C-alpha cells in the first residue's frame, strides 16, 4: 500500500524545518506552536479537518501570510518569506486547487510569465519560449502545443502546467493544495505520476488532500493538524486508515459504533420521488432512483464522480436531457429551481458561500428567501410573520446569532449551514436534497446537522444526501447509491451498506456496459 | 488549417471590412482610390491614436472614460499657451507630461482605492473637461509656423492621395502599440491582468505598477491624440471631442477585443477604426443618407461583435467537457 | 417601529448632512436662497428651482438605483431619454393626440429597457457592455426619428409637463415625486426590494433559492427605461422641442453619481431610492449654488470630479480595511477568518 521509504537525506539539516509556528487572526488563534519538517525526496501529506489550520500553515510557508511566532529554516538557513514571489525565489512553489494560471494566455506564456526569454533588443523571444516550454513539458510527459491557449486544455493538464511552472521557478519544495479536487481517477493517476517523478528528482513535496485513498497512494509521511495544533507526524507505513482517521478526528471512530437509524426506520414501500432514466449528457449518465416517504437515500462517491451533478439534476438546477420524474405517481417536469420548489423540493448546495448564503442580507432575510420567492414578489411576507418564522427556526435549529437581523456573513460555517436548512424548511418541503451538509463545519455542528436529518426523516420527509463522510452516511441513510465516473455503479443497503463496502464499490473497475449492481443483504 | 479561436473575432472584423469595402467600391468605384484611403486615415488619426491606448486599457480588464475630455483639454491647452507665446515644441512636451501624469494618477487611484476603473475615469472625465473649460470656453484658433509645418507635411501618393503627418503618426502608434502588446513583458502583463488579476499577482506580475503604467499610457496617447486633433483642426475647443471615448471603445470592440479583457489584438483596433471610417465615407459618398446612420451602424456592429464573443465563450465552455481528456497528450 | 425609523435615519444621515451643508453653503453665497414666494399659483424660489432642475436626474436615479442594486448599470438612459423625447415630439408635431404620444413614448422607454434586460438577463452580457450598445446607437435612433433637426412643437398640453404648475409646484417636481413614491411603495411594500437585493448580493444563491432572477433583472431595466422615458418627456416638454443630440446628454453619469452619493454600492445589494434622490438633490444644489455664487458653470465638472474622488476614498474597500484595522476592539470574526469555532458576532 505504501511506497518504499525514500533514501534518507545525505547528511545535516532537513530540506525545510518550521518550528513553533503560531498565527492568529483578529485575536483568534489559527495555529499554535506547530512544528513541521520536510525532507528531500519526500511526499508529506498535510491532513486535518476543515479549519484545522492546514491552509494557514501552507500560506505561511509560501509567503502569503507572515508568522506571528516561530522560525522557518530552509536547508538549515533561516528564511522569512515576505510574499509568494519571495518564497518562490527561495525555492518554495505552490499550486492551488483552482488552478491559478491564466486561461487566456498560451501554455508557454503561462510557464514563463514575468521571466520570458528576451532577444538582445529586449523584445520577447517567442520562438525560444515555445521551444523551452516544449522541452519543459516533455519532462512531465506532456506533448501539447505550448502555443495554444491554456484554457483549451483540461484541468489536469492545466494542473501539470502549474506544477511545471512552480518547480521550474522554485525547484526545492512544491506545495500542492488539494490538487486532485476536480480531477477524475485517471487524471489523478497522471498527476501522481508527475509527483512521483519529482520526488525521485529530490524535491520535497507537501500535498493537502482530503481523499484518504490518495494519501495512502502517494504519501511517505503524514502530518496531522487539529484545531491549529500539531497532532503528530508519522510515516505512512506506521498507519492504517483507522489510526489516521483517529488522528484527524481525535476520537475512536469504529464503523459499527454509530447508530444505524436509517436502515431500521420503517420505509413506506410507495416512493415519493422516482427518477427513471434521468440523466444529462456530459454530466451524469441516466439513472433510476426511488426515494420513499420518510426515507434517507445517501449518495457516495469521490469528488467529480457525478454526485453534485446528481443533486443539481434532481433539483432542476441543471436540466435533464433524458428520462422522466415521477412525484406522487404524477409525471412532472422539473427544469429549474422554481419548478422544483413548486413540487416541494428543496436543495442545500455544497458551496455554501457561493451557492447558499446571501452574505450581506440578514439571517432573517436569508431564512425567508425561498419561501418569499415561492410566494412571488407580489405577495410579501408581512414583517411580523418574517420575524416569527426566523425566530422559530433560529430556536429550533439552534442557529447561534447575536440577532436575527445580523448579516449572515458574520455567522460561523455551521450556523450558516443551519440557516440555509431553515430557509428550506420554511417552505415546508417534502423532498430535501442535501449536498455535503456537514462540509466545512466543526464536529459539534456535525452532530447537530445529523440529528436534524434524522429528525426530518422521522417527520416523513424524503431526503437525498450527498456526503463524503461515509460513516455518517451509513448511519442515517437506509440506502446508499455509489457513484463513479459519472455513473451510478452500485446501490447498497442493509448489512452490505458500510464504509468499506462503499469504498470497495467506488474502487471497483467499472466497465461502461456493466449495469449498476444492487447488493442487498438477505 | 487550424484557426485559433483567439483570432476569430479579428478575422471576422477583417472579413467584414474587406467585404464592406468591396461592396462600397462596387457601388461607388471612386472609393477605390488612394485619395479616399488616405483621407480615411487622416480623418481618423486622432481617434486611432486614442483607441490604441483604449485597447491597452480594455485588454487589462479596465476602461478609460476620460480620453475625450483629455483630448479637448490638450487642444485648448496647446492653443492657449502657444497663443500666449510659448514655443509649440515646449508646449507639446509639457502637455504630454501632463496627460501622462494624469493617466498615471487615475491608474494609481484604481489600484490603491480598489475602485472600478469606470468610476475613477468618470471623475477624470469631469476633471479634464472642467479644466479645459476653465482655460477657455471659446474656440481658440492656433497658428504658429512650427505647427503649420507639422500639420501641412505630407507625402503625395500616386492617385492624388496625401499621406499626412498625422496619418503617419497614427500608423506608427499602431505599429509600436502592436509590438508593445505582443513582444514585451509589459504587454504580456497587460493580457495577464485582463485574464485574472489575482492569478497575475500570484504569478509575480506587479499589478500596481502595471495598472499605473497602463493608464499612464492611455493618458499619454490621449494627449498625443489631442495634439493630432489640434493639428487637424488648427484650433483648440473645450467642447470638442465629446464622446470620443465611446467611439474608441466601439473601435476596440469591433476590432475583436474582449470588453472584459484578456483577449484581443491592437491590429484589430486598427481595422475597427477603418470600419468606422468606411461607414462615414460611404455616407458622404451616398449623399442622401444622414450622418446619424453612422451611430446606428456602429451600434449594430457593437452588438454583433459582443454577441459573437459571447457565442465563442459559450461554445468553448461547452466544448471543455468533451475536450477534457481528449486534449491530453500524456504518455 | 421607532427602531426602524431610527435605523433608516442612520442610513440616510451622511446624505442628509451633506445636503444640509451644501444648502447652508448656498445660503451663505446667496442670502435669499431659502426665500419662497407665491406667485401665479405656484411657489417660486431657489429651493423650488433645485427641485425642478433636478427632476431628470432624480427620475433617472430611481431606475438606476434598482439596476445598480442588482449589480448592474444602465449607461443607455441618456440615449433613451433622447429617443422617447423624439418619439413624443414627432407624434405631437404630426398632430396625434397628446395621450397617444405620451403612451408611445413610455412604450418606447419600456422597449429600450426590455432590450437591455434581454441582453443582460438572457444573453448574460456584462451590464456595462450591454447598455453601451444602446448608449452608442440610441442617439442615432433618436436622430432618425427627428430626421436630424430639433423637432419643435406647439402643444400646450405637452409643454405643461415641462413648464406647467401642479399643486403649487412645477409639474416636473410633482412628476418625479410621484414616480419616486409609486416605485418606492411598489418596491418596499412588495417583496421586490428584498429579492432585488438578494440578486445583487448573490445571484447564484438566489436563483437556487427559487428566485426568478431573469424576470427580476429584466424588470429593473424596464423600470429604468420607463424612468428615462418620463425624464425624456420632461426635458422635451421644457424646451418645447426634441433635441436628439443633447437631450439627456451625460445624464446617465449624473444619475450614477446620484446613486453612488446616495450610498448604494456599485457592487450591488442594499439600496435606498430615497438616498439616491437626496443624492440627486445634492448634485443639483451644487450646480445651483455655483451659478448663484457667480462662478462660471464650468466649475460644476471639477466639483463633481471632487465629489467622486471623495466618495471613492470613503467607500474604498482598501480604506475600509484600514479603518477596521485602526478600530481597537474586534467586533466580529471577518468572514475570511477560519471558522474553527462557533463564534457568535456581537
Amino acid at each position: 500500500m505504501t511506497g518504499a521509504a525514500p533514501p534518507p537525506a545525505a547528511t545535516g539539516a532537513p530540506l525545510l524545518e518550521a518550528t513553533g509556528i503560531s498565527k492568529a487572526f483578529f485575536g483568534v488563534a489559527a495555529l499554535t506552536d506547530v512544528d513541521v519538517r520536510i525532507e528531500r525526496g519526500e511526499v508529506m501529506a498535510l491532513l486535518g479537518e476543515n479549519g484545522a489550520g492546514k491552509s494557514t500553515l501552507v500560506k505561511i510557508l509560501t509567503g502569503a501570510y507572515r508568522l506571528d511566532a516561530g522560525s522557518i529554516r530552509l536547508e538549515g538557513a533561516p528564511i522569512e518569506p515576505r510574499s509568494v514571489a519571495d518564497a518562490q525565489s527561495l525555492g518554495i512553489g505552490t499550486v492551488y486547487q483552482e488552478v491559478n494560471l491564466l486561461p487566456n494566455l498560451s501554455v508557454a506564456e503561462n510557464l514563463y510569465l514575468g521571466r520570458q526569454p528576451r532577444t538582445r533588443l529586449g523584445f520577447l523571444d517567442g520562438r525560444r519560449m515555445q521551444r523551452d516550454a516544449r522541452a519543459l513539458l516533455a519532462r512531465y510527459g506532456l506533448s501539447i502545443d505550448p502555443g495554444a491557449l491554456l484554457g483549451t486544455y483540461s484541468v489536469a493538464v492545466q494542473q501539470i502546467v502549474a506544477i511545471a511552472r512552480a518547480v521550474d521557478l522554485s525547484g526545492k519544495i512544491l506545495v500542492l493544495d488539494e490538487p486532485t479536487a476536480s480531477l477524475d481517477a485517471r487524471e489523478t493517476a497522471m498527476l501522481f505520476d508527475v509527483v512521483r517523478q519529482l520526488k525521485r528528482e529530490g524535491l520535497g513535496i507537501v500535498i493537502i488532500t482530503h481523499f484518504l485513498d490518495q494519501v495512502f497512494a502517494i504519501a511517505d509521511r503524514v502530518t496531522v493538524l487539529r484545531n491549529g495544533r500539531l497532532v503528530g507526524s508519522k510515516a505512512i507505513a506506521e498507519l492504517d486508515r483507522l489510526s489516521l482517521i483517529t488522528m484527524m478526528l481525535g476520537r475512536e471512530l469504529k464503523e459499527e459504533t454509530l447508530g444505524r437509524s436509517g436502515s431500521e426506520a420503517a420505509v413506506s414501500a410507495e416512493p415519493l420521488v422516482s427518477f427513471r432514466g434521468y440523466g444529462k449528457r456530459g454530466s451524469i449518465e441516466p439513472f433510476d432512483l426511488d426515494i420513499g416517504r420518510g426515507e434517507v437515500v445517501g449518495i457516495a462517491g469521490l469528488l467529480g464522480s457525478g454526485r453534485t451533478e446528481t443533486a443539481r439534476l434532481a433539483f432542476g438546477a441543471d436540466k435533464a436531457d433524458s428520462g422522466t420524474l415521477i412525484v406522487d405517481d404524477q409525471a412532472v417536469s422539473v427544469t429549474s429551481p422554481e419548478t422544483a420548489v413548486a413540487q416541494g423540493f428543496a436543495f442545500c448546495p455544497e458551496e455554501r458561500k457561493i451557492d447558499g448564503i446571501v452574505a450581506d442580507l440578514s439571517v432573517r432575510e436569508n431564512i425567508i428567501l425561498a419561501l418569499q420567492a415561492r410566494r412571488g414578489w407580489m405577495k410579501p411576507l408581512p414583517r411580523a410573520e418574517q420575524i416569527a418564522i426566523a425566530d422559530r427556526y433560529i430556536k429550533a435549529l439552534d442557529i447561534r446569532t447575536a440577532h436575527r437581523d445580523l448579516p449572515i456573513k458574520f455567522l460561523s460555517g455551521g450556523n450558516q449551514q443551519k440557516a440555509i436548512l431553515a430557509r428550506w424548511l420554511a417552505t415546508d418541503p417534502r423532498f430535501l436534497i442535501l449536498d455535503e451538509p456537514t462540509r466545512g463545519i466543526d464536529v459539534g455542528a456535525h452532530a447537530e446537522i445529523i440529528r436534524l436529518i434524522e429528525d426530518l426523516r422521522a417527520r416523513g420527509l424524503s431526503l437525498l444526501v450527498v456526503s463524503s463522510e461515509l460513516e455518517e452516511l451509513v448511519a442515517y441513510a437506509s440506502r446508499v447509491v455509489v457513484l463513479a465516473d459519472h455513473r451510478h455503479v452500485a446501490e447498497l443497503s442493509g448489512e452490505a451498506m458500510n464504509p468499506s463496502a462503499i469504498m470497495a464499490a467506488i474502487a471497483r473497475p467499472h466497465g461502461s456496459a456493466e449495469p449498476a449492481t444492487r447488493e442487498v443483504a438477505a | 488549417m487550424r484557426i485559433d479561436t483567439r483570432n476569430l473575432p479579428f478575422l471576422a472584423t477583417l472579413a467584414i471590412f474587406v467585404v464592406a469595402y468591396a461592396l462600397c467600391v462596387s457601388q461607388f468605384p471612386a472609393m477605390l482610390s488612394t485619395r479616399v484611403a488616405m483621407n480615411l486615415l487622416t480623418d481618423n488619426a486622432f481617434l486611432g491614436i486614442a483607441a490604441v491606448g483604449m485597447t491597452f486599457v480594455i485588454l487589462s480588464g479596465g476602461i478609460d472614460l476620460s480620453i475625450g475630455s483629455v483630448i479637448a483639454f490638450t487642444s485648448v491647452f496647446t492653443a492657449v499657451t502657444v497663443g500666449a507665446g510659448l514655443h509649440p515644441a515646449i508646449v507639446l512636451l509639457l502637455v504630454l507630461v501632463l496627460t501622462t501624469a494624469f493617466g498615471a494618477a487615475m491608474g494609481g487611484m484604481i489600484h490603491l482605492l480598489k475602485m472600478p476603473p469606470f468610476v475613477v475615469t468618470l471623475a477624470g472625465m469631469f476633471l479634464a473637461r472642467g479644466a479645459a473649460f476653465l482655460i477657455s470656453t471659446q474656440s481658440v484658433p492656433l497658428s504658429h509656423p512650427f505647427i503649420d509645418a507639422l500639420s501641412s507635411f505630407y507625402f503625395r501618393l500616386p492617385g492624388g492621395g496625401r499621406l499626412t503627418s498625422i496619418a503617419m503618426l497614427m500608423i506608427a502608434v499602431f505599429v509600436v502599440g502592436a509590438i508593445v502588446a505582443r513582444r514585451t513583458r509589459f504587454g504580456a502583463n497587460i493580457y495577464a491582468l485582463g485574464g485574472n488579476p489575482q492569478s497575475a499577482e500570484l504569478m509575480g506580475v506587479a499589478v500596481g505598477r502595471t495598472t499605473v503604467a497602463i493608464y499612464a499610457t492611455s493618458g499619454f496617447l490621449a494627449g498625443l491624440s489631442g495634439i493630432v486633433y489640434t493639428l487637424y483642426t488648427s484650433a483648440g475647443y473645450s467642447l470638442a471631442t465629446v464622446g470620443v471615448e465611446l467611439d474608441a471603445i466601439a473601435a476596440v470592440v469591433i476590432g475583436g477585443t474582449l470588453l472584459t479583457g484578456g483577449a484581443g489584438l491592437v491590429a484589430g483596433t486598427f481595422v475597427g477604426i477603418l470600419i468606422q471610417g468606411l461607414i462615414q465615407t460611404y455616407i458622404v459618398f451616398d449623399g442622401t443618407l444622414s450622418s446619424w446612420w453612422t451611430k446606428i451602424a456602429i451600434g449594430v456592429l457593437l452588438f454583433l461583435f459582443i454577441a459573437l464573443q459571447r457565442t465563442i465563450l459559450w461554445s468553448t465552455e461547452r466544448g471543455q467537457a468533451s475536450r477534457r481528456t481528449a486534449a491530453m497528450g500524456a504518455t | 417601529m421607532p427602531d426602524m425609523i431610527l435605523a433608516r435615519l442612520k442610513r440616510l444621515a451622511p446624505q442628509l448632512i451633506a445636503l444640509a451643508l451644501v444648502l447652508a453653503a448656498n445660503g451663505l453665497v446667496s442670502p435669499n436662497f431659502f426665500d419662497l414666494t407665491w406667485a401665479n399659483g405656484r411657489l417660486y424660489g431657489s429651493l423650488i428651482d433645485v427641485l425642478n432642475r433636478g427632476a431628470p436626474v432624480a427620475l433617472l436615479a430611481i431606475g438606476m438605483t434598482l439596476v445598480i442594486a442588482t449589480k448592474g448599470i444602465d449607461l443607455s438612459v441618456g440615449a433613451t431619454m433622447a429617443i422617447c423625447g423624439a418619439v413624443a415630439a414627432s407624434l405631437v408635431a404630426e398632430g396625434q393626440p397628446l395621450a397617444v404620444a405620451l403612451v408611445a413614448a413610455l412604450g418606447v422607454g419600456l422597449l429600450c429597457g426590455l432590450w437591455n434586460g434581454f441582453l443582460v438577463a438572457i444573453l448574460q452580457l456584462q451590464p456595462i457592455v450591454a447598455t453601451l450598445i444602446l448608449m452608442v446607437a440610441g442617439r442615432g435612433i433618436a436622430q432618425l426619428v427627428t430626421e436630424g433637426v430639433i423637432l419643435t412643437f406647439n402643444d400646450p398640453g405637452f409643454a405643461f409637463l415641462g413648464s406647467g404648475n401642479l399643486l403649487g409646484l412645477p409639474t416636473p417636481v410633482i412628476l418625479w415625486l410621484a414616480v419616486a413614491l409609486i416605485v418606492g411603495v411598489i418596491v418596499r411594500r412588495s417583496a421586490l426590494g428584498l429579492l432585488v437585493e438578494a440578486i445583487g448580493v448573490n445571484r447564484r444563491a438566489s436563483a437556487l433559492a427559487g428566485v426568478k432572477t431573469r424576470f427580476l433583472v429584466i424588470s429593473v431595466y424596464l423600470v429604468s427605461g420607463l424612468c428615462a422615458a418620463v425624464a425624456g418627456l420632461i426635458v422635451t416638454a421644457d424646451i418645447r422641442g426634441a433635441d436628439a443630440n443633447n437631450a439627456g446628454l451625460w445624464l446617465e453619469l449624473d444619475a450614477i453619481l446620484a446613486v453612488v452619493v446616495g450610498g448604494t454600492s456599485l457592487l450591488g445589494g442594499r439600496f435606498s431610492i430615497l438616498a439616491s434622490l437626496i443624492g440627486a438633490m445634492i448634485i443639483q444644489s451644487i450646480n445651483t449654488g455655483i451659478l448663484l455664487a457667480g462662478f462660471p458653470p464650468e466649475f460644476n465638472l471639477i466639483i463633481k470630479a471632487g465629489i467622486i474622488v471623495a466618495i471613492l476614498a470613503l467607500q474604498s474597500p482598501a480604506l475600509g480595511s484600514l479603518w477596521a484595522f485602526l478600530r481597537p476592539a474586534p467586533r466580529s470574526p471577518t468572514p475570511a477568518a477560519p471558522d474553527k469555532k462557533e463564534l457568535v458576532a456581537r
Side-chain angles (χ1 to χ4, degrees):
Chain A
M1 203 172 206
T2 61
T11 45
L15 180 54
L16 182 122
E17 186 167 35
T19 42
I21 305 289
S22 295
K23 175 79 186 172
F25 297 98
F26 301 96
V28 181
L31 280 181
T32 317
D33 196 22
V34 169
D35 299 342
V36 62
R37 181 173 47 89
I38 301 148
E39 301 287 355
R40 291 175 188 79
E42 178 188 57
V43 178
M44 195 269 277
L46 187 59
L47 302 181
E49 284 190 284
N50 279 307
K54 292 170 300 191
S55 52
T56 310
L57 179 59
V58 161
K59 284 187 172 154
I60 286 173
L61 295 182
T62 57
Y65 292 162
R66 309 291 297 273
L67 42 75
D68 293 347
S71 64
I72 308 173
R73 300 175 86 83
L74 184 67
E75 295 175 319
I79 58 164
E80 240 179 278
R82 284 182 307 273
S83 67
V84 176
D86 192 23
Q88 236 165 36
S89 61
L90 286 167
I92 306 171
T94 325
V95 173
Y96 297 96
Q97 170 186 352
E98 65 291 359
V99 184
N100 266 296
L101 294 183
L102 296 157
N104 64 315
L105 300 188
S106 76
V107 172
E109 285 168 326
N110 269 290
L111 285 171
Y112 294 106
L113 187 67
R115 55 193 184 108
Q116 299 96 330
R118 285 189 282 201
T119 60
R120 232 167 297 152
L121 292 171
F123 295 116
L124 300 186
D125 189 343
R127 214 168 303 154
R128 206 177 112 204
M129 191 162 79
Q130 301 251 347
R131 209 171 50 227
D132 292 357
R134 206 178 288 275
L136 182 64
L137 293 173
R139 288 179 44 207
Y140 294 88
L142 279 186
S143 56
I144 56 174
D145 174 11
L149 290 188
L150 182 75
T152 57
Y153 292 106
S154 72
V155 180
V157 171
Q158 295 187 27
Q159 197 78 260
I160 291 174
V161 172
I163 290 176
R165 177 185 161 90
V167 171
D168 201 41
L169 269 170
S170 321
K172 290 177 187 166
I173 290 180
L174 176 64
V175 180
L176 299 170
D177 190 354
E178 305 239 10
T180 57
S182 42
L183 306 187
D184 64 29
R186 199 148 51 95
E187 293 171 325
T188 302
M190 181 174 147
L191 186 83
F192 281 180
D193 284 342
V194 169
V195 170
R196 287 193 194 97
Q197 180 192 334
L198 292 172
K199 180 174 120 176
R200 280 196 298 275
E201 289 170 13
L203 254 78
I205 295 159
V206 180
I207 185 165
I208 295 180
T209 176
H210 48 253
F211 298 122
L212 296 188
D213 304 342
Q214 297 181 357
V215 173
F216 285 100
I218 192 81
D220 301 311
R221 201 158 48 82
V222 176
T223 300
V224 179
L225 299 180
R226 192 199 314 149
N227 290 336
R229 291 175 184 276
L230 179 71
V231 175
S233 185
K234 288 187 177 169
I236 195 81
E238 300 170 28
L239 288 167
D240 59 19
R241 191 174 289 268
L242 200 60
S243 53
L244 183 54
I245 293 174
T246 311
M247 276 176 89
M248 288 167 67
L249 299 182
R251 57 179 186 231
E252 287 293 329
L253 186 74
K254 293 229 169 65
E255 285 171 5
E256 309 309 322
T257 50
L258 278 163
R260 299 292 293 263
S261 55
S263 41
E264 285 152 22
V267 175
S268 73
E270 197 81 334
L272 174 73
V273 183
S274 303
F275 298 95
R276 287 286 167 269
Y278 222 59
K280 176 176 160 67
R281 219 167 307 125
S283 164
I284 183 83
E285 286 187 23
F287 60 88
D288 292 347
L289 182 62
D290 293 332
I291 299 124
R293 289 185 178 78
E295 185 187 22
V296 181
V297 174
I299 293 193
L302 298 177
L303 270 173
S305 60
R307 47 184 217 197
T308 293
E309 288 82 347
T310 303
R312 288 181 58 90
L313 206 61
F315 188 62
D318 295 327
K319 261 186 228 172
D321 54 15
S322 72
T324 52
L325 168 58
I326 297 148
V327 180
D328 235 357
D329 296 329
Q330 301 258 315
V332 297
S333 135
V334 165
T335 53
S336 66
E338 293 155 49
T339 49
V341 172
Q343 288 299 329
F345 287 16
F347 174 47
C348 296
E350 176 181 17
E351 297 284 351
R352 194 172 49 235
K353 287 203 160 61
I354 300 168
D355 292 333
I357 62 165
V358 183
D360 288 340
L361 296 194
S362 69
V363 177
R364 165 178 59 84
E365 287 163 319
N366 268 282
I367 289 177
I368 60 126
L369 184 61
L371 181 59
Q372 182 61 68
R374 192 177 67 185
R375 289 167 64 108
W377 66 272
M378 301 229 268
K379 285 191 223 135
L381 282 161
R383 203 179 165 86
E385 204 173 318
Q386 294 186 16
I387 290 171
I389 293 171
D391 284 354
R392 185 159 78 239
Y393 285 102
I394 288 173
K395 189 154 172 284
L397 306 191
D398 192 21
I399 300 171
R400 265 155 278 171
T401 170
H403 195 268
R404 71 174 93 82
D405 285 330
L406 193 73
I408 197 168
K409 62 183 171 190
F410 291 127
L411 269 57
S412 73
N415 284 313
Q416 289 178 354
Q417 184 69 41
K418 286 192 268 182
I420 305 297
L421 257 169
R423 171 191 294 171
W424 287 111
L425 297 181
T427 66
D428 196 16
R430 26 183 202 169
F431 177 40
L432 181 56
I433 303 157
L434 306 175
D435 192 357
E436 292 284 5
T438 54
R439 182 177 166 193
I441 62 182
D442 73 288
V443 178
H446 260 239
E448 289 178 64
I449 302 271
I450 291 169
R451 213 170 49 234
L452 235 144
I453 290 173
E454 291 175 342
D455 248 30
L456 294 172
R457 193 209 53 222
R459 277 164 43 192
L461 257 75
S462 306
L463 287 98
L464 184 66
V465 184
V466 175
S467 179
S468 45
E469 310 278 350
L470 300 183
E471 286 82 2
E472 292 174 9
L473 196 58
V474 298
Y476 53 70
S478 60
R479 279 179 293 142
V480 170
V481 173
V482 180
L483 304 191
D485 290 338
H486 306 275
R487 292 197 305 124
H488 288 205
V489 295
E491 189 177 311
L492 310 175
S493 62
E495 289 304 312
M497 179 179 73
N498 59 60
S500 36
I502 293 171
M503 282 184 281
I506 293 171
R508 204 177 296 143
H510 315 288
S512 51
E514 175 195 343
T517 55
R518 212 170 259 257
E519 291 172 29
V520 184
Chain B
M1 192 183 78
R2 198 190 68 166
I3 294 180
D4 205 328
T5 49
R6 244 184 311 186
N7 294 330
L8 204 60
F10 171 70
L11 294 175
T13 311
L14 201 60
I16 286 178
F17 175 70
V18 171
V19 170
Y21 196 47
L23 284 177
C24 289
V25 169
S26 70
Q27 195 177 350
F28 306 109
M31 276 181 78
L32 187 67
S33 72
T34 54
R35 193 190 300 253
V36 169
M38 289 307 116
N39 283 350
L40 204 155
L41 291 183
T42 303
D43 294 343
N44 291 288
F46 80 98
L47 179 60
I49 292 170
V52 172
M54 186 67 87
T55 311
F56 284 172
V57 172
I58 290 180
L59 276 176
S60 78
I63 201 141
D64 188 351
L65 296 183
S66 72
I67 60 172
S69 304
V70 171
I71 293 171
F73 169 80
T74 306
S75 78
V76 176
F77 183 87
T78 308
V80 169
T81 46
V82 169
L86 239 67
H87 191 275
I90 299 169
V91 170
L92 297 188
L93 199 68
L94 192 64
V95 82
L96 286 177
V97 170
L98 266 178
T99 57
T100 308
F102 181 71
M106 288 194 298
M109 277 185 68
I110 291 166
H111 177 68
L112 290 179
L113 297 180
K114 306 252 172 289
M115 289 308 272
F118 164 69
V119 194
V120 174
T121 57
L122 176 63
M125 169 187 181
F126 288 148
L127 192 66
R129 185 70 68 181
F133 280 146
L134 284 185
I135 296 174
S136 170
T137 49
Q138 310 293 317
S139 176
V140 186
L142 176 66
S143 179
H144 188 282
F146 181 79
I147 298 279
D148 296 342
L150 275 183
S151 57
S152 58
F153 177 79
Y154 62 86
F155 288 114
R156 185 177 289 278
L157 297 184
R162 291 172 173 189
L163 181 60
T164 57
S165 55
I166 58 176
M168 286 186 279
L169 182 62
M170 171 179 74
I171 291 169
V173 166
F174 267 105
V175 170
V176 173
I179 291 173
V180 167
R182 296 307 298 183
R183 303 226 75 77
T184 66
R185 286 193 183 170
F186 174 55
N189 289 348
I190 294 174
Y191 281 88
L193 271 192
N196 183 340
Q198 283 84 31
S199 295
E201 186 160 24
L202 279 175
M203 290 171 78
V205 173
V207 173
R209 217 167 47 201
T210 309
T211 306
V212 170
I214 289 167
Y215 286 89
T217 307
S218 179
F220 170 80
L221 288 175
L224 197 61
S225 163
I227 292 172
V228 165
Y229 186 76
T230 318
L231 294 178
Y232 178 59
T233 58
S234 298
Y237 186 33
S238 52
L239 266 176
T241 62
V242 166
V244 160
E245 50 278 343
L246 289 186
D247 295 337
I249 294 170
V252 173
V253 174
I254 292 174
T257 297
L258 204 59
L259 238 181
T260 45
L265 296 172
V266 172
T269 303
F270 185 67
V271 184
I273 294 281
L274 291 185
I275 289 181
Q276 288 198 21
L278 187 66
I279 295 170
Q280 282 159 350
T281 312
Y282 177 82
I283 285 167
V284 170
F285 265 77
D286 182 86
T288 59
L289 283 173
S290 310
S291 63
W292 58 77
W293 279 106
T294 316
K295 282 176 182 156
I296 296 175
I298 291 172
V300 169
L301 281 175
L302 257 184
F303 170 67
L304 287 179
F305 272 87
I306 290 168
L308 169 75
Q309 291 175 344
R310 188 74 237 183
T311 320
I312 292 175
L313 202 67
W314 270 337
S315 62
T316 351
E317 277 167 7
R318 208 158 297 160
Q320 195 81 20
S322 56
R323 241 199 321 277
R324 263 174 80 86
T325 42
M328 274 194 278
T331 44
Chain C
M1 276 297 147
D3 273 8
M4 276 175 64
I5 294 169
L6 210 66
R8 293 205 72 181
L9 270 180
K10 206 172 151 193
R11 160 72 178 80
L12 294 177
Q15 283 76 33
L16 288 172
I17 292 170
L19 182 61
L21 287 178
V22 172
L23 291 178
N26 284 356
L28 286 179
V29 296
S30 156
N32 46 14
F33 181 79
F34 295 103
D35 292 357
L36 292 175
T37 52
W38 183 272
N40 307 326
R42 68 164 262 202
L43 280 167
Y44 283 87
S46 299
L47 279 177
I48 304 300
D49 265 4
V50 168
L51 291 174
N52 193 13
R53 291 286 134 219
V57 173
L59 277 164
L60 295 183
I62 296 167
M64 191 69 80
T65 307
L66 292 176
V67 170
I68 287 179
T70 63
K71 222 177 208 158
I73 201 144
D74 189 348
L75 294 182
S76 72
V77 286
T80 304
M81 280 176 69
I83 299 174
C84 295
V87 166
S90 69
L91 287 177
V92 165
E94 266 175 30
Q96 297 281 350
L98 181 60
V100 171
L102 295 185
V103 168
L106 295 179
V108 169
L110 283 174
L111 216 57
C112 292
L114 187 66
W115 164 255
N116 287 327
F118 167 76
L119 294 184
V120 174
I122 310 294
L123 292 193
Q124 294 172 31
L125 296 180
Q126 268 192 321
I128 190 169
V129 178
T131 55
L132 181 72
I133 296 169
L134 189 57
M135 185 189 188
V136 170
R139 294 204 177 270
I141 296 170
Q143 277 168 326
L144 202 63
V145 175
T146 62
E147 290 166 348
V149 296
I150 297 185
L151 202 66
T152 55
F153 57 86
N154 215 338
D155 181 297
F158 192 7
F160 173 80
L161 288 181
S163 47
N165 308 319
L166 206 62
L167 310 170
L169 287 169
T171 323
V173 179
I174 299 296
L175 278 176
W176 77 255
L177 285 174
V179 172
L181 200 67
I182 294 168
V183 174
V185 165
I186 291 178
V187 163
R188 288 302 177 191
R189 289 288 150 188
S190 76
L192 212 53
L194 170 69
L195 298 179
V196 161
E197 285 175 348
I199 291 175
V201 177
N202 189 339
R203 189 164 164 187
R204 284 178 61 160
S206 305
L208 278 177
V211 177
K212 296 183 171 126
T213 53
R214 285 184 176 182
F215 165 79
L216 287 167
V217 169
I218 293 176
S219 310
V220 296
Y221 285 94
L222 284 176
V223 173
S224 184
L226 198 62
C227 289
V230 178
L233 287 173
I234 289 177
V235 170
T236 307
D238 188 33
I239 63 165
R240 291 171 188 251
D243 181 353
N245 272 326
N246 295 311
L249 192 63
W250 305 128
L251 284 195
E252 57 275 339
L253 300 181
D254 278 8
I256 294 166
L257 189 57
V259 175
V260 173
V261 170
T264 299
S265 165
L266 281 174
L267 304 175
R270 297 286 190 200
F271 69 90
S272 164
I273 291 178
L274 188 56
S276 299
L277 292 173
I278 299 174
M281 289 306 114
I282 292 174
I283 295 171
Q284 188 55 46
S285 305
I286 293 171
N287 291 347
T288 308
I290 287 170
L291 283 177
L292 289 175
F295 286 120
E298 293 79 66
F299 268 104
N300 274 348
L301 290 172
I302 296 198
I303 288 189
K304 272 186 206 165
I307 296 175
I308 300 179
V309 172
I311 292 171
L312 284 183
L314 285 175
Q315 282 193 352
S316 153
L319 277 186
S321 52
L322 181 70
W323 186 232
F325 183 74
L326 292 175
R327 272 189 181 175
R331 290 167 304 135
S332 56
T334 66
D339 45 30
K340 55 191 286 273
K341 287 238 167 68
E342 293 284 319
L343 283 164
V344 174
R346 284 271 140 224

